[in-house]
Amino acid sequence: MTATTATAARRFGPLALINLATLLSATGNGITIVALPWLVLERTGRATDAAIVAGAATLPLLLSSLFSGTVVDRFGRRRTSLVSDFLSAVSVSLIPLMAATAGLSVPVLAALAALGATFDPAGIAARESMLPAATKEARWSLDRANSLYEANYNVAYLIGPGVGGVLIATVGAVNTLWVTAACFLASIVTIAFLRLDGAGKPDRETRPESMWTGTLDGLKFVWHNRLLRTLALVDMAVVALYMPVESVLFPAYFTELDQPAQLGWVLMAMAVGGVIGALAYGALAAHVRRRTLMLLAVTALGLCMVGMAFLPPLWVLLTLALMVGLVFGPVGPIANYAMQTRSPEHMRGRVVGVMTSTAYAAGPLGYLLAGPLIDSVGIRTTFFVLAIPVVGIAAVCFGLPALRELDALVVESEVAHSYRE
């Protein structure tokens, strides 16, 4: 084999471009997480209005993520990524444009936030669906590529809010959103350079007949695959119980203490732990079973949540938050591996979309439970109510035979046979 042939056979470009586009797009979303609530509070001064806008940005994610995979499998991965980021850029740009012309009200901001959130899942599903082909061209293992991808995603949500805070202080919340739009446009330019097998328009015979039937096929496939069904149900339960900790319990606790900076430190500790944990998975996967890492993650999460429920001193909370990120960092790469190896090539977008939608469905359920509980029994008791079931879920996971399939060798013919069934 000549040097030229060897170079052509091993291409890192597609994998680098996918990760760069993901970093840019997710950083834009991370900036928005800070900028939108600040913009609302700046204009009305009411936390309720900020919650309305935040809720409006969350609710569309359930349906849009469910159908996003069908969009990917019907119109193509590269095209979906480009169009998704373009529509996200337009929707974000409308906010400063409206501020400069007709003016911004809470309903208008809520509508624009919902519009922007609607397009994000399709872009995420498209880029995740391209990972296996890019990994193959780079001659990496799926575990290594998924480790880098998830760490990259966590980095974006670590730096995005920080960048957003600096921009708000220097150019104001409205102008900060222009930077968010620029992030989406930069992601578009990045993917425009991508050339990858399977990223173009799907063959007619493999495309979903319609959005509805395609989504139903994805739901049926995930439900009939024992491993994917188990992972989806465990993820739903854990997300429903854990998400209120970050979004409701800790904000309520540190608001009572009048220590907003400490809230930021705790959330940052989780994010840093997540980056380290995701990166560590690439090295651990060759030596530790995926099932073992999954069981460790759920068990440690439950125990850390119980420890947090005692509302200990800040240094203990920071340690527990870091531990949560470290042990849960590998969960994203493991879930990606399961989706990539258990789904037929032409259905990968739908499988990613369905699996992602389960987490989005669980989050609002947890918020509905946590809010009234805090008002009625207090933060500490609510913490225990959420934490103890996670320990129970971990105990159940040890007895789930489906999780043993995380370490089973899967060949393409078995996946195709599973789909036909």
Side-chain angles (χ1 to χ4, degrees), residues 242-282:
Y242 173 72
M243 283 303 292
V245 171
E246 288 190 20
S247 302
V248 181
L249 269 75
F250 274 144
Y253 175 61
F254 286 108
T255 298
E256 284 188 0
L257 297 179
D258 194 24
Q259 292 289 346
Q262 293 183 7
L263 171 62
W265 297 342
V266 170
L267 297 180
M268 185 174 290
M270 290 180 184
V272 170
V275 173
I276 297 171
L279 285 174
Y281 172 75

Side-chain angles (χ1 to χ4, degrees), residues 322-340:
L322 182 67
M323 285 296 299
V324 167
L326 284 172
V327 299
F328 231 72
V331 171
I334 290 172
N336 286 350
Y337 176 86
M339 290 186 284
Q340 291 157 355

Side-chain angles (χ1 to χ4, degrees), residues 52-124:
I52 290 171
V53 173
T58 303
L59 289 177
L61 293 175
L62 173 57
L63 280 178
S64 62
S65 61
L66 185 60
F67 287 95
S68 65
T70 307
V71 173
V72 172
D73 289 341
R74 189 172 170 83
F75 300 104
R77 296 163 183 172
R78 182 171 173 272
R79 179 186 296 179
T80 299
S81 179
L82 292 169
V83 173
S84 171
D85 280 338
F86 174 75
L87 293 175
S88 292
V90 170
S91 62
V92 169
S93 299
L94 286 174
I95 297 175
L97 285 174
M98 290 291 290
T101 55
L104 287 174
S105 63
V106 171
V108 169
L109 273 171
L112 292 175
L115 182 66
T118 299
F119 306 123
D120 291 334
I124 295 169

Side-chain angles (χ1 to χ4, degrees), residues 43 45 61 116 151 198 262 286 319 345 351 353 380 391:
R43 277 168 154 62
L61 293 175
Q262 293 183 7
T319 303
E345 175 69 21
V351 171
R380 179 171 295 185
V391 177

